[in-house]
Amino acid sequence: MVTATEKKLLMKGNEAVGEGAMIAGCRHYFGYPITPQNELTAYMSRRMMDVGGTFIQSESELAAINMVLGAAAAGARAMTSSSSPGISLMQEGISYMAGQQLPAVIVNVARGGPGLGSIGPAQSDYFQAVRSGGHGDYHCLVLAPSTVQEMMDFTILAFDLADRYRNPALVLTDGLLGQMMEPVVLRQPDQRKPIDKPWALTGCKGRGPREIKSLYLDLDLHEAFNQCLQEKYARITQAERRCEHFMTDGAKVLLVAYGIAARICKAAVVTARSNGQAVGLFRPITLFPYPTPELQQAARGIQAVLVVEMSCGQMVEDVRLALGSTVPVSFYGRSGGNVVVTEDVLAQVQELL
Amino acid sequence: MKTVFARPESMKSTPMHYCSGCGHGIVHRLIAEVIDELGIRERTVCVAPVGCAVTAYNYFNFDVCEAPHGRTPCVATGIKRVHPGNLVFSYQGDGDLAAIGTAEIIHSANRGELITAIFVNNGTYGMTGGQMAPTTLLKQKTATTHMGRDAKLAGYPIKISEMLAVTPGSAYIVRGSVHSPKNILKAKRYIRTAFQTQLDGLGFSLVEVLSSCPVNWRITPTQSNRYIDEVVTKEYPLGIIKDVSKPADAT
Ligand SMILES: Cc1ncc(C[n+]2csc(CCOP(=O)(O)OP(=O)(O)O)c2C)c(N)n1
Ligand code: SF4
């Protein structure tokens, strides 16, 4: 319910991300233009000017992510955004931030790949997002919105989770959600005191000097540090799995999809149900941590699982890992910037019933 | 008894890992002395490079951040924008600043970013075993120019400081050296002026320091100092390249 004090605005997905960052108290944005997220960079340049924050249009995504690294090391809530080719360039910095345990938010308004690909919306950066897109044993927290409201809400959440776990957090979305306009309830800024950062580089007044680094020349120390990271990821996996069950009660066929594809699947589920077909949707909201136990639970008694993605099949691997041979898993996807359509999802479902 | 020489407060007592005759240790000490003299240790943040000085946090007694190779000025930019009242400097080798980080340093200078770069030019990649750097002199033998650097194959020694001086955002660009006591004292004055330039908000500042790497040059420390004096300074002339606080020509 929208209360009287809540403002509802018509916003583009990209702008909702930007406003979410402002609400979360982010005052340092660094970015480089790329379609289909240009509205976000432009929005941040305007908003940062309004509030006296920092906006830098950097010379590259490499520069942008490393400015984020510096601002995060200095203790600020910092953010960058880009689309697939730009996110590839940022992987070096993201790996460093994972190793330095620096919190920051990175938004990928993904488009078709590989290479320059297309500017159409895509979900083909899933592997890059959830494994460890750069070098080394690490994970980013990954959130996948599927509405413009969630573009705002998950950006706010991404800042909170990043700070809580001292870890980079990714909002993985796509060009369609970025460009789409929907009414959004403007959230209120969190009134709680910002989290303490007793590691931040502020100048060593009244304390000993601090260092932020990822280098461990002693191999055993490095291994021990990697184990600490693994323990952190286990804690994150324990506490932060998020997912949505949509009309899964009594379902015979379970669709599994995230982000914009999940939204299209919802329409398919509603149609199927109105035709008396027992179809439901399981939507992972966090892609790392992946809601594996919840998916296993949801797939109990299911006759067939259909994974729907705007890629040639990436998340489907995690679904197969989760479900093993307990239930047949098939895949339907479009790629190259093409969007999955309800009719095709329904046709696939037809074969499985 | 009066103490005439002591470790600056801005320096930790950790023994340095640098090879004997290496210039890095001298440059570290000059920075620490200047920071002590300016009384700004508690508001200084250094960004260390990937290179032989990667563990600068073991030696500097103030906050230090690691940066990916060459992205050093970007990390410094991020820190400075969050804490504009701090002194933020990047410490970079010639591979870090003049090869992999060329774009980053040029745009930091061009934005007039209020940071200082301390640029240690030893004409080679010390850490990875003495390969050619963009600053390597013609005919200089390195691990990747066995017959000496040949311009036809590997281009020319790059004068990055002169390039940076062209950008309107840079306020103070200077080249010093640490191959002799006289030059060491001069280099210290340059570092002090560069930091002051930042504190006064005048713009981007950079001190290039010609420095020796005897191990990879395969000569003794003494020969290295003579080599800088007789050969390196011919390619990279010492002195102020740009200083906006002093108009070049008043006539
Ligand atoms: C992305 C990346 N590429 C290459 C390296 C390997 N590497 C480490 S230090 C270095 C060059 C160091 O040379 P310089 O910047 O001149 O510093 P010096 O060691 O001479 O002080 C290189 C190429 C690296 N660590 N990261
Ligand atoms: S390799 Fe060269 S630059 Fe590195 S510590 Fe030794 S002398 Fe110094």
Side-chain angles (χ1 to χ4, degrees):
Chain A
M1 269 305 280
V2 181
T3 63
T5 53
E6 281 175 335
K7 255 172 65 183
K8 220 167 184 185
L9 291 177
L10 194 62
M11 291 187 109
K12 267 197 176 187
N14 283 332
E15 296 169 346
V17 168
E19 199 47 42
M22 300 308 294
I23 293 166
C26 168
R27 293 295 177 270
H28 297 273
Y29 174 93
F30 310 91
Y32 185 84
I34 185 169
T35 309
Q37 65 83 57
N38 288 318
E39 295 83 4
L40 180 47
T41 322
Y43 190 82
M44 294 314 268
S45 78
R46 216 174 29 245
R47 291 292 280 125
M48 287 304 179
M49 211 197 290
D50 291 345
V51 302
T54 296
F55 169 88
I56 297 182
Q57 183 177 322
S58 59
E59 65 273 20
S60 70
E61 290 85 351
L62 273 174
I65 193 71
N66 285 289
M67 291 172 188
V68 168
L69 189 161
R77 282 195 155 180
M79 172 179 149
T80 185
S81 62
S82 185
S83 181
S84 311
I87 298 289
S88 291
L89 263 185
M90 290 183 187
Q91 295 304 326
E92 177 195 53
I94 297 174
S95 165
Y96 270 73
M97 282 195 288
Q100 296 167 330
Q101 301 208 74
L102 288 178
V105 172
I106 300 120
V107 181
N108 182 359
V109 185
R111 62 189 236 182
L116 203 47
S118 74
I119 57 169
Q123 297 185 315
S124 43
D125 298 348
Y126 177 89
F127 284 150
Q128 184 197 55
V130 307
R131 301 296 193 257
S132 31
H135 59 285
D137 275 325
Y138 75 91
H139 287 286
C140 293
L141 288 140
V142 186
L143 294 166
S146 75
T147 63
V148 175
Q149 182 72 58
E150 286 183 351
M151 293 284 262
M152 174 176 289
D153 295 352
F154 290 4
T155 303
I156 300 172
L157 177 62
F159 275 104
D160 289 341
L161 293 177
D163 275 351
R164 191 177 312 155
Y165 293 102
R166 280 192 67 181
N167 204 68
L170 244 137
V171 177
L172 181 62
T173 179
D174 68 89
L176 192 52
L177 269 168
Q179 304 290 324
M180 183 184 285
M181 282 188 102
E182 278 181 334
V184 176
V185 178
L186 217 50
R187 302 300 181 194
Q188 295 305 310
D190 192 342
Q191 295 306 327
R192 281 173 302 178
K193 192 169 140 291
I195 199 164
D196 266 354
K197 297 185 175 176
W199 44 264
L201 306 183
T202 54
C204 61
K205 194 168 171 54
R207 58 165 171 82
R210 290 175 181 161
E211 61 203 41
I212 287 186
K213 58 153 189 164
S214 60
L215 176 73
Y216 292 87
L217 290 169
D218 181 294
L219 308 189
D220 291 329
L221 280 182
H222 189 207
E223 188 171 41
F225 171 73
N226 278 342
Q227 282 313 319
C228 287
L229 283 186
Q230 291 304 313
E231 281 159 26
K232 174 166 87 174
Y233 302 144
R235 269 188 288 126
I236 291 174
T237 303
Q238 195 59 41
E240 305 299 344
R241 297 189 309 268
R242 287 167 170 79
C243 58
E244 182 193 356
H245 298 79
F246 183 76
M247 296 190 161
T248 48
D249 284 350
K252 287 207 178 87
V253 171
L254 184 69
L255 303 180
V256 183
Y258 71 94
I260 189 69
R263 187 155 168 168
I264 292 158
C265 284
K266 276 188 184 173
V269 167
V270 171
T271 308
R273 287 281 182 175
S274 68
N275 295 337
Q277 295 169 326
V279 182
L281 167 73
F282 179 82
R283 170 169 82 105
I285 288 175
T286 50
L287 301 181
F288 182 86
Y290 199 74
T292 302
E294 291 77 6
L295 174 60
Q296 287 165 337
Q297 181 67 34
R300 279 213 187 117
I302 289 286
Q303 190 175 301
V305 167
L306 175 66
V307 179
V308 179
E309 293 178 69
M310 274 146 59
S311 78
C312 294
Q314 300 195 9
M315 183 183 71
V316 63
E317 289 196 3
D318 286 334
V319 174
R320 290 200 168 115
L321 268 175
L323 301 180
S325 54
T326 56
V327 52
V329 175
S330 52
F331 172 74
Y332 161 61
R334 293 295 307 276
S335 85
N338 283 307
V339 179
V340 289
V341 288
T342 318
E343 292 71 29
D344 291 345
V345 177
L346 286 170
Q348 299 279 330
V349 166
Q350 208 55 46
E351 313 246 308
L352 298 169
L353 276 168
Chain B
M1 206 163 57
K2 190 169 164 241
T3 305
V4 289
F5 192 77
R7 178 168 47 81
E9 196 189 357
S10 292
M11 217 99 238
K12 291 177 181 165
S13 60
T14 324
M16 290 193 184
H17 74 284
Y18 300 115
C19 316
S20 66
C22 174
H24 276 304
I26 305 173
V27 181
H28 284 18
R29 169 147 190 134
L30 296 183
I31 291 169
E33 286 179 2
V34 168
I35 287 172
D36 276 11
E37 286 165 23
L38 292 171
I40 52 171
R41 187 183 71 87
E42 292 186 329
R43 56 183 178 113
T44 294
V45 183
C46 164
V47 183
V50 169
C52 280
V54 65
T55 53
Y57 40 75
N58 289 339
Y59 312 129
F60 287 134
N61 190 25
F62 41 76
D63 285 3
V64 181
C65 192
E66 167 194 83
H69 197 19
R71 322 296 170 223
T72 333
C74 299
V75 174
T77 297
I79 297 170
K80 182 71 180 187
R81 294 295 183 114
V82 176
H83 301 302
N86 282 17
L87 179 95
V88 182
F89 73 94
S90 66
Y91 185 103
Q92 305 182 253
D94 40 9
D96 199 76
L97 185 140
I100 197 166
T102 317
E104 287 80 354
I105 198 70
I106 288 180
H107 289 280
S108 300
N110 193 47
R111 280 195 309 273
E113 207 61 58
L114 292 176
I115 58 171
T116 303
I118 305 294
F119 166 34
V120 178
N121 177 359
N122 59 15
T124 190
Y125 286 11
M127 187 182 221
T128 41
Q131 295 85 353
M132 183 189 77
T135 47
T136 296
L137 302 183
L138 291 180
K139 299 202 179 73
Q140 186 180 331
K141 288 188 178 144
T142 70
T144 49
T145 53
H146 299 276
M147 311 293 285
R149 185 176 187 174
D150 176 352
K152 279 212 244 17
L153 297 173
Y156 297 87
I158 194 165
K159 291 195 177 63
I160 198 104
S161 296
E162 280 83 349
M163 287 167 62
L164 295 172
V166 173
T167 69
S170 62
Y172 183 73
I173 308 278
V174 67
R175 184 181 291 116
S177 177
V178 290
H179 70 277
S180 72
K182 195 176 116 221
N183 279 288
I184 290 172
L185 288 177
K186 226 184 207 174
K188 182 174 167 183
R189 282 204 298 279
Y190 290 157
I191 293 170
R192 192 184 167 111
T193 311
F195 285 169
Q196 198 59 56
T197 300
Q198 178 183 158
L199 295 173
D200 294 344
L202 297 181
F204 175 84
S205 51
L206 175 141
V207 183
E208 175 174 342
V209 185
L210 302 184
S211 172
S212 49
C213 179
V215 172
N216 288 304
W217 292 356
R218 291 165 210 275
I219 48 179
T220 66
T222 315
Q223 288 169 328
S224 298
N225 287 337
R226 201 176 315 130
Y227 176 71
I228 292 181
D229 190 48
E230 291 169 4
V231 183
V232 185
T233 54
K234 299 292 175 291
E235 180 68 32
Y236 298 111
L238 303 180
I240 293 169
I241 300 168
K242 180 180 188 180
D243 184 353
V244 292
S245 69
K246 293 193 180 67
D249 190 353
T251 57

